[in-house]
């Protein structure tokens, strides 16, 4: 519905003598910096309506006058044909006395909102800008920083509120007369596009190559592309941080990147010019294509084509790979550089486990040992954002895995209005600040034990608190007393003089789903997860809770406990997990049988620990159970990245989905006895695909059996699924289907990750429910 042509606002008007109607309409949501006012202007002008529109603190307001039917029509278009980046949370209209106005005007000179609610996330380059970039006659031909109200950097360059140019890192560039004219003209598609820029006045590229070689502009781009084509590794300053790139078809280049990054197996994401190019090496469903091409342009996990035309080292031993489209003009130009790359590896520009590099200085220092050359520019990144990761479930809906660029800081609407801060989990940390019915989740901070991530965590907490400008009335954190996030929360609560609510990790997982669905009724929550501290001091991770109100939870059932020899160390060793699983049944010999003699000592020591109950905490973790079963199916190495063994096991699944035998005990809470299942799995161990699929089916059947008991005992009809293990697509689809077949209403995460990245939302939700 977008119209390009200029329409004069005063061409119509209310017919003489005919009584017009006048409405005042207030709108809240993402309506600033997204072309909303020009859109309203055009909708009004097209119908010859009078009035005005302007930005307000929480969104926009307008008065509209004229023929009643035309106003109805205008409001309908407003709702139905919003600009792609705009989102209306709420729209209210009241009638006011007509003034006889027949012209429509945009009011206010762009004084932006002071509310974070109105800040759009960064957005992928739009088709109009791409057309200009490819047009030799356009003044922005091949300009890597062009943008408009429909696309470009937003949150990544925001330094303060209100969102206007002086509060972004574009403040360093003063607009040339041409850009200024576009910026001031309501009919122009760059009207108040805050980062507007052109080659004359905007940021420029810079190249630092091997041996101190320097270049600028087109030449910088050409050198970067040539180095990539020659098998080199290039650090690219992207939208939310640096990325490390190499040719994804070049085995040697990918191997070198793995070696230098000390990342032997974890899959690399790849980038291609567009969806069509991605479809050459991956299967892309219509839903996946839509997600790839959306303004958020996330990494989408896709099934590889066979044979896979990219290097096998991109995502070794896995059936899926993560791909995204070139989402900035700069990335697009790398593909339009005459080298015709099918795909480039485009992985976070960090050394292992550190935050993504943001400044040139950081990149040159920390990526110096990895990259052969640096493609830099002088538009500063203020807020670090990794690329987001999503996959599409069997029902066609997206499942977020990592929520960052393109999604942050878009809020999740919640049902409470008080200001609540939640410090999140320890790994894959995000924090959540809820205020005025909107929950803002930060980008992903990684493992807080790492010094750089801990600094990043504090940096983004203080930025979020500054941006929201409200003092928390409640602070939430994990039960674990030693987590750095817990300490931060304790200090913050003290500083704000407000209560601190400590929330059990898996209850928070379940609550993240309830928060998304704003569900405060009776529900069963299933958390299939790695590990988290339980309220009884044990290590939990296979938990079922019943809640009446979404605030307090009763542990209803859990997986049988088994010892984890070596504690945290077992998380890296599927063999140790298997030893822990089999030892209580006297079956530990099965582990010895599957390992080379050289590892016998290690196993004997672990067995000794379990016998003397030293450093072998009992756990109900489904994550560790997955590791143990992966070992039985043949995964005998230590893992080098989280969930490696589980992903491998998922990829093995055959077509036999008969569950193994398990028993639900009569205790309260009940537990799931796996004695028979373990023996049946050992019998199937010589058929790994069968073992894998039957094991997945067993977990789904366990969830269904617990749900049926909860229905019989408590009248439960709603089941919420969360926890990191549900990133397993086979398990998620099986479990949801089995529950739905039994008539349950299944809820799961759609907006925030089911892994620890979503925990902060659940903490905030529980705190609000308990603390008012
Ligand atoms: Zn654009
Ligand atoms: Zn300019
Ligand atoms: Zn977790």
């Amino acid at each position: 519905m977008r119209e390009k042509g200029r329409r004069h606002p005063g061409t119509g008007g209310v017919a003489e003598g005919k009584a017009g109607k006048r409405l005042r309409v207030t709108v809240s949501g993402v309506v600033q910096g997204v072309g909303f006012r020009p859109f309203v202007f055009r909708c009004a002008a097209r119908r010859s309506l009078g009035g005005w529109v302007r930005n307000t603190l929480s969104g926009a307001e307008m008065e509209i006058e004229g023929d009643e039917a035309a106003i109805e029509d205008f409001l309908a278009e407003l709702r139905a044909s919003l600009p792609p980046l705009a989102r209306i949370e709420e729209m209210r209209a009241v009638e006011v006395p007509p003034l006889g106005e027949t012209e429509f005007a945009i009011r206010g000179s762009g004084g932006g909102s002071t509310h974070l609610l109105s800040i759009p996330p960064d957005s992928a380059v739009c088709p109009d800008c791409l057309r200009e970039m490819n047009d030799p006659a356009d003044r922005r031909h091949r300009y890597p920083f062009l943008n408009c109200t429909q696309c470009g950097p937003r949150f990544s360059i925001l330094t303060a509120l209100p969102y206007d140019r002086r509060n972004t890192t574009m403040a360093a560039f003063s607009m040339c007369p041409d850009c200024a004219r576009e910026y001031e003209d309501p009919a122009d598609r760059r009207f108040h596009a805050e980062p507007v820029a052109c080659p004359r006045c905007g940021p420029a590229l810079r190249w630092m190559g091997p041996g101190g070689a320097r270049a600028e502009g087109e030449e910088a781009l050409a050198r970067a592309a040539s180095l990539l084509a020659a098998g080199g590794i290039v650090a690219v300053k992207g939208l939310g941080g640096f990325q490390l790139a190499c040719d994804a078809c070049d085995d040697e280049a990918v191997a070198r990147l793995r070696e230098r990054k000390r990342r032997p197996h974890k899959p690399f994401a790849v980038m291609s010019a567009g969806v069509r190019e991605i479809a050459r090496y991956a299967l892309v469903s219509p839903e996946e294509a839509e997600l790839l091409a959306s303004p958020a342009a996330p990494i989408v996990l896709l099934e590889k084509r066979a044979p896979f035309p990219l290097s096998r080292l991109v995502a070794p031993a896995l059936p899926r790979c993560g791909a995204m489209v070139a989402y900035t003009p700069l990335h697009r130009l790398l593909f339009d550089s005459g080298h015709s790359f099918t795909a480039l590896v485009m992985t976070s520009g960090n050394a292992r486990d550190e935050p993504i590099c943001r400044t040139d200085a950081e990149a040159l220092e920390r990526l110096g040992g990895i990259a052969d050359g640096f493609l830099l520019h002088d538009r500063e990144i203020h807020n670090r954002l990794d690329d987001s990761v999503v996959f599409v479930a069997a029902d066609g809906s997206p499942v977020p895995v990592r929520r960052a660029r393109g999604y942050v800081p878009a809020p999740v609407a919640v049902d409470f209005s008080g200001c609540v801060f939640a410090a999140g989990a320890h790994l894959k940390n995000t924090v959540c600040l809820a205020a005025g019915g909107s929950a803002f989740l930060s980008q992903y901070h990684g493992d807080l034990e790492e010094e750089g991530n801990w600094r990043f965590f504090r940096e983004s907490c203080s930025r979020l608190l500054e941006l929201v400008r409200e003092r928390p009335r409640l602070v939430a954190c994990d039960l674990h007393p030693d987590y750095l996030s817990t300490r931060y929360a304790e200090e913050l609560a003290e500083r704000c003089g407000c209560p601190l609510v400590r929330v059990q990790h898996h209850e928070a997982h379940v609550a993240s789903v309830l928060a998304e669905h704003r569900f405060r009724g009776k529900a069963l929550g299933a958390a299939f997860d790695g590990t988290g501290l339980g309220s009884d001091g044990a290590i939990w991770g296979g938990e079922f809770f019943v809640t009446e109100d979404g605030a307090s939870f009763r542990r209803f059932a859990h997986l049988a406990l088994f010892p984890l020899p070596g504690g945290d160390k077992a998380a890296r060793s599927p063999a140790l997990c298997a030893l822990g699983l089999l030892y209580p049944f006297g079956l530990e010999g099965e582990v010895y049988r599957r390992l080379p003699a050289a590892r016998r000592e290690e196993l004997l020591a672990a067995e000794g620990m379990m016998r003397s109950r030293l450093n072998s905490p009992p756990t109900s973790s489904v994550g560790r159970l997955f590791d143990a079963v992966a070992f039985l199916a043949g995964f005998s190495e230590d893992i080098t990245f989280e969930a490696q063994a589980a992903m491998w096991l998922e990829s093995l699944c055959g077509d036999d989905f008969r569950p193994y035998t398990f028993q639900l005990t009569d205790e309260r809470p009940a537990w799931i006895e796996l004695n028979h299942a373990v023996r049946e799995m050992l019998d199937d161990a010589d058929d790994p695909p069968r073992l894998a699929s039957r094991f997945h089916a067993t977990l789904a059947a366990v969830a269904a059996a617990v749900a049926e008991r909860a229905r019989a005992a408590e009248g439960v009809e709603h089941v919420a699924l969360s926890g990191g293990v549900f990133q397993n697509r086979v398990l998620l689809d099986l479990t949801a289907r089995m529950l739905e077949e039994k008539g349950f209403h299944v809820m799961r995460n759609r907006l925030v990750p089911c892994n620890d990245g979503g925990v902060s939302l659940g903490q905030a939700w529980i705190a609000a429910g308990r603390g008012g």
Side-chain angles (χ1 to χ4, degrees):
M1 289 295 263
R2 269 190 286 143
E3 278 200 7
K4 274 256 186 77
R6 192 185 280 248
R7 289 230 180 174
H8 201 272
T11 48
V14 184
E16 273 315 313
K18 188 177 166 193
K21 188 177 173 183
R22 190 173 178 96
L23 290 184
R24 165 169 292 194
V25 184
T26 50
V27 171
S28 67
V30 180
V31 291
Q32 296 182 19
V34 293
F36 181 72
R37 285 179 299 163
F39 162 71
V40 171
F41 175 92
R42 287 190 293 268
C43 294
R46 217 178 355 254
R47 296 177 176 81
S48 304
L49 296 167
W52 48 263
V53 58
R54 69 176 175 207
N55 286 341
T56 62
L57 291 182
S58 60
E61 68 178 348
M62 64 193 89
E63 288 196 2
I64 190 90
E65 177 167 349
D67 175 61
E68 188 164 349
I71 290 181
E72 284 304 315
D73 202 38
F74 164 87
L75 291 174
E77 183 174 357
L78 222 55
R79 286 195 194 89
S81 312
L82 277 183
L85 303 183
R87 209 182 51 241
I88 292 183
E89 297 286 338
E90 200 179 16
M91 184 152 101
R92 275 198 206 139
V94 289
E95 204 168 335
V96 292
L99 301 175
E101 223 171 346
T102 56
E103 302 215 341
F104 199 84
I106 292 178
R107 280 198 189 167
S109 56
S113 162
T114 58
H115 203 284
L116 192 57
L117 193 60
S118 61
I119 306 306
D122 299 87
S123 163
V125 60
C126 76
D128 288 340
C129 285
L130 277 181
R131 242 188 317 275
E132 284 180 6
M133 191 175 81
N134 294 326
D135 177 0
D138 194 278
R139 70 190 190 89
R140 292 189 177 87
H141 180 226
R142 291 185 66 80
Y143 182 56
F145 304 98
L146 86 171
N147 61 79
C148 70
T149 51
Q150 303 311 313
C151 76
R154 294 289 188 275
F155 184 61
S156 61
I157 58 166
L158 180 76
T159 56
L161 289 172
Y163 173 59
D164 61 33
R165 188 173 175 105
R166 73 195 147 90
N167 289 331
T168 69
T169 60
M170 283 301 291
F173 303 89
S174 46
M175 281 181 231
C176 71
D178 286 340
C179 285
R181 193 165 25 76
E182 294 168 337
Y183 182 85
E184 300 294 344
D185 179 0
D188 194 277
R189 65 186 199 86
R190 292 197 167 87
F191 176 67
H192 277 283
E194 305 301 340
V196 66
C198 77
R200 251 177 83 195
C201 67
L205 282 180
R206 199 154 59 88
W207 169 250
M208 289 179 67
R214 309 274 174 130
E216 286 179 6
E218 259 314 312
E219 181 58 22
L221 190 74
R223 300 253 190 117
S226 309
L227 189 63
L228 287 169
I233 296 166
V234 174
V236 180
K237 186 175 185 178
L239 199 51
F242 277 77
Q243 292 161 316
L244 289 162
C246 73
D247 183 351
C249 293
D250 184 336
D251 272 337
E252 282 177 33
V254 182
R256 212 159 28 238
L257 180 56
R258 288 210 171 276
E259 197 187 302
R260 292 189 193 165
K261 234 193 147 187
R262 287 183 289 135
R263 179 161 148 169
H265 308 111
K266 189 175 176 184
F268 282 141
V270 296
M271 177 184 272
S272 292
V275 177
R276 206 173 332 125
E277 288 75 12
I278 292 174
R280 286 162 61 185
Y281 53 86
L283 302 173
V284 184
S285 71
E287 291 88 358
E288 288 162 341
E290 192 183 320
L291 205 50
L292 285 164
S294 68
I299 295 168
V300 181
L301 302 175
L302 302 167
E303 197 175 323
K304 292 173 176 174
R305 275 192 191 280
F308 186 57
L310 309 183
S311 165
R312 68 193 162 77
L313 297 175
V314 163
L318 291 172
R320 280 133 86 60
C321 78
M324 62 188 142
V325 300
Y327 55 82
T328 69
L330 173 58
H331 290 115
R332 266 308 271 255
L333 287 169
L334 281 174
F335 288 93
D336 294 342
S337 58
H339 292 284
S340 63
F341 302 109
T342 304
L344 292 171
V345 166
M346 203 54 83
T347 185
S348 302
N350 53 6
R352 203 176 162 165
D353 297 335
E354 286 180 359
I356 184 169
C357 291
R358 178 172 68 87
T359 65
D360 294 6
E362 257 174 19
L364 290 168
E365 186 196 318
R366 285 161 40 196
L367 306 179
I370 304 177
D372 300 308
F374 291 80
L375 186 57
L376 308 171
H377 57 73
D378 51 356
R379 186 179 73 203
E380 268 181 56
I381 299 166
H382 188 71
N383 297 303
R384 272 176 236 265
L385 293 155
D386 276 283
D387 290 317
S388 296
V389 183
V390 182
F391 70 85
V392 173
D395 65 3
S397 63
V399 183
V401 173
R402 183 166 73 199
R403 186 180 182 275
R405 176 191 51 79
Y407 296 100
V408 173
V412 176
V414 287
D415 73 345
F416 55 93
S417 57
C419 185
V420 182
F421 176 88
H426 190 58
L427 301 170
K428 290 197 166 81
N429 176 277
T430 64
V431 298
C432 172
L433 185 59
S438 298
F440 300 95
L441 269 78
S442 71
Q443 57 274 55
Y444 159 98
H445 302 122
D447 175 357
L448 295 187
E449 220 44 69
E450 201 281 320
E451 175 59 32
N453 291 329
W454 173 231
R455 250 201 322 271
F456 179 23
F457 168 89
R458 283 170 304 173
E459 167 190 297
S460 79
C461 288
S462 38
R463 280 184 189 168
L464 205 54
L465 287 162
E466 257 167 47
L467 287 172
V468 169
R469 288 195 209 162
E470 237 183 283
R471 185 183 270 261
R473 288 197 302 125
L474 282 168
V475 174
C477 66
D478 195 83
L479 276 187
H480 203 301
D482 300 332
Y483 284 175
L484 289 168
S485 55
T486 302
R487 300 229 188 104
Y488 181 92
E490 287 167 347
E491 279 171 34
L492 181 68
E494 204 178 304
R495 226 169 39 235
C496 298
C498 70
L500 178 70
V501 182
R502 296 176 198 268
V503 179
Q504 200 278 324
H505 183 84
H506 302 103
E507 294 179 9
H509 270 304
V510 169
S512 72
V513 179
L514 303 177
E516 277 190 27
H517 292 76
R518 288 181 265 182
F519 186 83
R520 293 272 185 201
K522 180 180 284 191
L524 177 77
F528 285 4
D529 200 32
T531 54
L533 181 63
S535 49
D536 60 358
I539 299 178
W540 291 8
E543 312 304 317
F544 295 91
F545 306 98
V546 170
T547 178
E548 309 282 337
D549 56 3
S552 48
F553 292 76
R554 210 158 14 93
R555 197 181 190 202
F556 184 75
H558 61 86
L559 214 67
L561 298 167
F562 62 91
L564 262 192
D568 286 346
K569 203 178 148 213
R572 290 187 297 276
S573 169
L576 288 181
C577 293
L579 193 69
L581 177 66
L582 298 184
Y583 177 80
F585 305 115
L587 294 167
E588 63 278 3
E590 296 288 339
V591 181
Y592 286 85
R593 209 163 60 73
R594 290 173 161 81
L595 276 184
R599 294 190 64 180
R600 200 181 155 77
E601 288 298 313
E602 179 197 341
L603 293 181
L604 283 172
E607 226 188 290
M609 282 192 280
M610 288 189 287
R611 203 173 309 116
S612 46
R613 295 175 192 274
L614 280 173
N615 194 23
S616 28
T619 188
S620 50
S621 164
V622 177
R624 296 299 82 80
L625 179 62
F626 252 98
D627 290 346
V629 175
F631 176 83
L632 300 181
F635 194 104
S636 55
E637 302 289 306
D638 280 358
I639 65 170
T640 65
F641 66 93
E642 202 200 344
Q644 184 182 4
M647 285 162 78
W648 177 83
L649 192 66
E650 179 190 3
S651 75
L652 269 189
C653 278
D655 46 19
D656 184 347
F657 286 98
R658 290 170 300 142
Y660 291 119
T661 314
F662 62 88
Q663 243 174 348
L664 196 52
T665 70
D666 291 327
E667 271 110 326
R668 286 177 177 231
W671 47 282
I672 295 113
E673 166 65 76
L674 293 174
N675 185 0
H676 291 288
V678 162
R679 287 162 211 277
E680 289 168 1
M681 287 195 281
L682 285 170
D683 289 344
D684 273 350
D686 52 358
D687 186 350
R690 184 199 292 164
L691 170 55
S693 48
R694 293 193 67 190
F695 171 64
H696 280 74
T698 308
L699 288 174
V702 163
V706 174
E708 291 210 289
R709 180 176 289 184
R711 175 188 270 158
E714 315 258 353
V716 164
E717 294 296 337
H718 289 77
V719 182
L721 305 177
S722 192
V725 172
F726 281 115
Q727 289 171 97
N728 179 318
R729 189 170 141 168
V730 173
L731 182 64
L732 177 64
D733 294 341
L734 270 177
T735 309
R737 209 174 55 220
M738 229 182 256
L739 287 165
E740 274 158 6
E741 277 167 9
K742 295 189 184 301
F744 288 99
H745 184 87
V746 179
M747 297 179 279
R748 63 167 179 80
N749 296 106
R750 283 162 201 267
L751 303 175
V752 304
C754 61
N755 61 41
D756 287 5
V759 160
S760 59
L761 176 65
Q763 290 174 344
W765 166 268
I766 288 179
R770 285 184 198 164

